Amino acid sequence: MMSTSRIIGSMVAPTRKKSMVASHHQNEITNGNSNSHSHSHSPPKTNAKIVKAQQERKRLSSVIVEDGIEYNKKARKVHKEIFDHPDTIQSAGSNSDTEAPLFDPDCDPDHPKKVTYPEISSAAFVIKNGVQRTPCPRSLQLSQKFEMDLYFKKEYLQVTGSFKERGARYALSRLNADQKSHGVIAASAGNHALALSYHGQQMGIPVTVVMPVIAPLMKIQFCRSLGANVILKGETILIAKEYALKHAAENHLKYINGYDAVDILAGQGTIGSEILEQVPDVDAILVPVGGGGLIAGIAVAVKTVKPDVKIYGIEAETCPSFSEALKAGKPIGVTNRSSVADGLAVPTVGGNSLVTAESLVDKMILVNEESIALSILRLMEVEKAVVEGGGAVGLAAILSDKVPELKGKKVVSILSGGNIDTTVLGRSIERGLAVDGRLVRLEVVVSDRPGGIAELTTTLAHLGASIKDIFHERAWISADVFSVKVKVVIETRGRDHVQEIEEALKKIYSNVALM
């Protein structure tokens, strides 16, 4: 059985820790002096401790999707045993090497909490002078194209580029004096870390963010420039979260979950209240879904006031964690594949978010990578908006004809963030152009006599195509030795233009293929 002092140091709620730290420290001094006259507070590591540290590193490096669920179950069991049966816990000074697992008491899937409309109203009042009231204009061109009144709620215009500021601001405002003095900590790969860092600086609250080593360098540097203490730990957000919880327990910091804490949900819900003020007769709202905090808050805010408004959740098909959780009736881990909508890649949704939103969401929609890339391109060209993949999924659902029932309706799509990496943006534009038929790859077999390739390029020029890349090969062609296969990447005006080019080339060459 583990020692009381070690368990309490890791497991107690933040409001109880301060009173127990002194006792814990005294126990360490007393136990240390009983066996030695040394006054050193940092004894050298024993072989057993070194082996234990190596085992811990090995365990952290092998975390998988399901670990988070099993880990929390074990944590809750131990946490309950400690406070239900304190008399069974061994006294301080035990030789047990068993450590209590870490646990976030604000986000317990076995005892989930629902966010309420009064909490969202309170959040709206508290944060109104600290965050941007973002515009929600109608898109003229896209409304005409898709035969609906389409509005965009532009949350990417927040100072740090995402809706996360709302929940972060409200969560920080809810801290007590002791928590504000010690500071907060969070595990995040980007937007939540940025939001906490900025508003922590504005409110004079120390902020520590634990980010996986794969987090974009731009976001890491931005957090540091905002005065946050940035710790890079692990290759996944699960490892970063585990380290953050441990660091919180050891340093008396308040851990703030970026997508499941009730205060976070209440802050995100203020978007729904603003939409109802800006588009009073809205028929449906398209909400990006990752961990579930955004859709949970918005659904409560909107459905409480106008129950007939449809709430559609949009996920990337590479990580359908919320859809699967709705089917199972509880949060479950899913396999997460890489996606341009990396901000939505949460393998296990929050328990508070799920229990809040499950009865309020009218439809869940999955969109593929091609449609997300195309929507990023469309928003740049039409709305002059640079939006990250997670923020573009609402338009992606419309582009891929997943919501035909919304034609003729008033629809709001939430552009949740604009923190897209420049290299990802470049790739998304090219992918979008290819999906749109404006970037095409051709293979044409032409004569290898002098002037054969020149004739092809001249023909393409006369047809109005711009050559982006060209490559030819002889060794792997099955035609005669006097022919050459030419691979050409061309820019076109669209699918009709591509068809025109293909038909013209086939009149000249017998072997033409579009890739």
Side-chain angles (χ1 to χ4, degrees):
M1 185 68 68
M2 56 197 109
S3 69
T4 304
S5 59
R6 293 179 67 188
I7 295 174
I8 289 176
S10 294
M11 300 297 297
V12 294
T15 55
R16 300 184 59 186
K17 287 180 183 175
K18 188 174 182 183
S19 63
M20 296 181 179
V21 171
S23 173
H24 171 67
H25 182 61
Q26 184 62 42
N27 285 340
E28 286 185 337
I29 294 173
T30 301
N31 292 333
N33 288 342
S34 65
N35 297 318
S36 173
H37 296 291
S38 171
H39 297 287
S40 171
H41 297 289
S42 302
K45 283 187 176 181
T46 64
N47 289 336
K49 289 184 178 179
I50 292 173
V51 171
K52 179 184 167 189
Q54 291 172 341
Q55 291 173 341
E56 176 70 6
R57 283 195 296 272
K58 183 178 180 181
R59 185 179 66 82
L60 289 176
S61 65
S62 62
V63 172
I64 58 175
V65 171
E66 291 76 11
D67 285 351
I69 299 171
E70 296 304 319
Y71 184 76
N72 281 338
K73 286 181 180 178
K74 183 178 179 183
R76 289 191 295 276
K77 181 179 178 182
V78 174
H79 188 273
K80 187 174 186 298
E81 288 176 353
I82 291 171
F83 292 103
D84 286 356
H85 307 286
D87 54 318
T88 64
I89 306 300
Q90 291 182 2
S91 62
S94 168
N95 293 325
S96 172
D97 282 335
T98 305
E99 290 188 359
L102 303 165
F103 172 61
D104 179 8
D106 293 333
C107 304
D108 181 356
D110 287 345
H111 302 91
K113 307 168 189 173
K114 287 186 178 183
V115 69
T116 64
Y117 185 74
E119 290 172 310
I120 295 172
S121 298
S122 174
F125 178 78
V126 170
I127 70 174
K128 65 180 180 180
N129 295 323
V131 301
Q132 301 291 326
R133 181 183 171 87
T134 55
C136 189
R138 181 177 182 270
S139 173
L140 176 62
Q141 293 185 55
L142 295 179
S143 293
Q144 292 176 342
K145 180 176 179 61
F146 297 112
E147 301 177 16
M148 63 178 67
D149 282 333
L150 182 57
Y151 295 76
F152 290 116
K153 181 63 171 166
K154 299 186 175 182
E155 282 297 297
Y156 66 90
L157 294 177
Q158 297 290 350
V159 175
T160 60
S162 87
F163 73 97
K164 291 284 189 178
E165 287 193 25
R166 295 172 181 268
R169 181 82 182 192
Y170 186 56
L172 290 173
S173 73
R174 296 272 290 167
L175 300 175
N176 59 41
D178 185 58
Q179 291 168 336
K180 287 181 179 178
S181 64
H182 281 104
V184 301
I185 188 170
S188 169
N191 290 342
H192 180 54
L194 289 171
L196 274 181
S197 300
Y198 173 69
H199 287 283
Q201 183 187 63
Q202 296 294 304
M203 301 170 72
I205 299 172
V207 172
T208 298
V209 291
V210 183
M211 307 178 78
V213 295
I214 59 171
L217 181 60
M218 174 190 71
K219 294 182 180 180
I220 294 171
Q221 293 174 335
F222 194 4
C223 286
R224 285 178 173 152
S225 72
L226 292 170
N229 172 32
V230 178
I231 300 173
L232 300 180
K233 191 71 175 179
E235 296 182 356
T236 69
I237 194 64
L238 286 175
I239 297 175
K241 179 181 178 181
E242 181 171 310
Y243 181 85
L245 286 168
K246 181 179 179 181
H247 195 76
E250 293 173 347
N251 295 275
H252 319 298
L253 306 177
K254 171 67 174 177
Y255 181 80
I256 299 180
N257 186 303
Y259 59 85
D260 201 37
V262 171
D263 290 340
I264 293 290
L265 271 59
Q268 323 303 29
T270 61
I271 297 174
S273 299
E274 286 184 15
I275 289 174
L276 293 182
E277 294 174 7
Q278 294 166 321
V279 190
D281 51 351
V282 61
D283 293 305
I285 301 175
L286 308 182
V287 187
V289 179
L294 179 61
I295 195 169
I298 289 176
V300 171
V302 172
K303 292 284 190 177
T304 301
V305 179
K306 293 194 172 182
D308 293 336
V309 175
K310 300 296 184 183
I311 302 294
Y312 287 4
I314 318 297
E315 286 184 301
E317 64 179 20
T318 55
C319 187
S321 54
F322 202 87
S323 298
E324 294 302 314
L326 286 175
K327 294 175 185 176
K330 62 181 180 179
I332 60 173
V334 300
T335 302
N336 175 27
R337 306 193 307 276
S338 60
S339 171
V340 66
D342 56 346
L344 305 184
V346 180
T348 306
V349 301
N352 298 336
S353 300
L354 180 64
V355 74
T356 298
E358 59 185 348
S359 63
L360 302 175
V361 175
D362 295 285
K363 185 177 182 180
M364 289 298 299
I365 298 169
L366 303 182
V367 292
N368 61 29
E369 294 297 289
E370 289 76 12
S371 63
I372 298 173
L374 182 56
S375 66
I376 291 173
L377 177 64
R378 284 283 187 272
L379 288 165
M380 285 186 62
E381 292 181 323
V382 179
E383 294 299 307
K384 316 306 176 192
V386 178
V387 177
E388 62 189 78
V393 293
L395 180 58
I398 297 173
L399 287 170
S400 52
D401 200 27
K402 295 289 183 73
V403 287
E405 70 274 16
L406 296 183
K407 287 188 177 182
K409 306 289 186 179
K410 281 197 174 182
V411 180
V412 173
S413 179
I414 299 173
L415 306 183
S416 55
N419 293 319
I420 186 169
D421 187 78
T422 50
T423 56
V424 175
L425 178 61
R427 294 171 186 172
S428 299
I429 292 172
E430 287 203 339
R431 177 73 67 88
L433 288 170
V435 174
D436 207 23
R438 292 155 61 190
L439 193 63
V440 179
R441 186 173 60 178
L442 293 169
E443 284 189 359
V444 185
V445 176
V446 303
S447 170
D448 200 20
R449 304 291 186 183
I453 296 177
E455 180 185 23
L456 172 63
T457 58
T458 300
T459 301
L460 290 172
H462 288 161
L463 291 169
S466 176
I467 296 176
K468 186 176 177 65
D469 199 7
I470 187 167
F471 171 79
H472 65 279
E473 61 182 33
R474 296 180 177 86
W476 295 277
I477 188 172
S478 58
D480 63 80
V481 294
F482 299 106
S483 297
V484 59
K485 181 184 288 184
V486 182
K487 298 180 179 179
V488 190
V489 178
I490 59 174
E491 293 176 345
T492 73
R493 296 188 297 272
R495 297 192 180 282
D496 292 341
H497 190 200
V498 172
Q499 185 176 356
E500 177 188 336
I501 292 170
E502 183 181 15
E503 290 173 355
L505 291 177
K506 284 183 176 180
K507 291 178 180 179
I508 303 172
Y509 304 101
S510 58
N511 196 332
V512 177
L514 267 70
M515 309 299 292

